[in-house]
Amino acid sequence: MRSQLGFNQVESTRPKTCLGCCHYHGKFYGYNREQRSQLICGFHPSGWLKSEQCPDWEEISDS
């Protein structure tokens, strides 16, 4: 049904600098939508805001 309405892909809330990083948390906290905030990771709670690669980025391991 969603694909019929043009919603076949849900936009990711993960910042591009966090793609593939094992430290990404990404959960939202708070009781209502207006006051919820997202915790990106423990190193950078609001996400890495600079244009260069995050110095704490580590690849997700399979084990």
Side-chain angles (χ1 to χ4, degrees), residues 8-51:
N8 54 348
Q9 291 187 355
V10 177
E11 189 174 326
S12 175
T13 58
R14 184 180 293 215
K16 289 182 181 180
T17 55
C18 300
L19 292 174
C21 182
C22 67
H23 299 298
Y24 177 74
H25 181 67
K27 298 209 177 173
F28 287 88
Y29 293 92
Y31 292 108
N32 60 30
R33 263 182 198 250
E34 293 80 31
Q35 295 180 343
R36 290 185 349 166
S37 59
Q38 184 180 24
L39 176 63
I40 302 295
C41 79
F43 293 107
H44 309 284
S46 298
W48 182 249
L49 303 175
K50 298 181 181 175
S51 59

